[in-house]
């Protein structure tokens, strides 16, 4: 008998670079990795620079999607990001990237000085 997997199952995961001691926290749909390493800018650049050979993917919690969003929001706070220099996350957790919401710059254009 095979286990029924709900369509809203997700997992909270951590990708750890065991050599450089960097890590990334995120959520992914389903109960297994399926080759997914994260979509954040820092983790993507890290993988491009160093490759995947030193990475370990750890599934921390499996639950419904809303619970995982809430858990990610509680764990990856602005304070957590400030106090964990080895964390590759750029933004607090809770909604999985931008997803069409208000951009991090709140729609404001960068000044010419900032662009330079």
């Amino acid at each position: 008998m095979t286990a029924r997997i709900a369509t809203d199952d997700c997992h909270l995961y951590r990708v750890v670079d065991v050599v450089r001691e960097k890590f990334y926290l995120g959520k992914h749909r389903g109960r297994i990795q399926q080759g997914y390493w994260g979509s954040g800018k820092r983790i993507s650049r890290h993988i491009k620079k160093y490759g995947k050979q030193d990475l370990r993917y750890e599934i921390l919690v499996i639950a419904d999607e809303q619970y995982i969003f809430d858990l990610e929001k509680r764990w990856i706070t602005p304070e957590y990001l400030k106090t964990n220099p080895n964390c590759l996350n750029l933004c607090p957790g809770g909604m999985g990237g931008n997803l069409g919401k208000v951009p991090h710059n709140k729609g404001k254009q960068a000044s010419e000085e900032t662009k330079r």
Side-chain angles (χ1 to χ4, degrees):
M1 182 171 160
T2 59
R4 183 185 168 289
I5 298 176
T7 58
D8 64 345
D9 277 352
C10 290
H11 63 268
L12 186 68
Y13 66 90
R14 177 174 49 208
V15 174
V16 179
D17 183 323
V18 295
V19 173
R20 292 158 199 88
E21 299 179 348
K22 301 284 186 180
F23 64 94
Y24 177 81
L25 296 163
K27 81 142 203 67
H28 185 59
R29 286 199 172 116
R31 293 176 165 253
I32 59 174
Q33 178 191 9
Q34 300 169 320
Y36 183 76
W37 292 95
S39 60
K41 287 182 181 182
R42 280 190 186 156
I43 188 65
S44 297
R45 289 176 184 157
H46 189 87
I47 291 170
K48 187 174 181 178
K49 183 174 183 177
Y50 299 108
K52 298 175 186 174
Q53 65 275 3
D54 298 325
L55 300 182
R56 183 177 66 228
Y57 191 96
E58 303 169 339
I59 295 178
L60 304 174
V61 179
I62 298 174
D64 67 83
E65 187 172 39
Q66 188 57 54
Y67 180 80
I68 295 298
F69 275 137
D70 293 343
L71 192 58
E72 184 184 35
K73 185 176 184 178
R74 285 184 291 175
W75 282 7
I76 311 169
T77 63
E79 183 63 28
Y80 182 87
L81 295 174
K82 289 178 191 174
T83 59
N84 287 281
N86 287 344
C87 182
L88 295 170
N89 293 70
L90 284 170
C91 299
M95 285 309 294
N98 192 345
L99 298 178
K101 307 291 184 221
V102 176
H104 68 281
N105 64 359
K106 299 180 183 159
K108 297 176 185 173
Q109 295 297 317
S111 68
E112 290 303 316
E113 183 180 350
T114 302
K115 290 178 185 177
R116 285 191 294 257

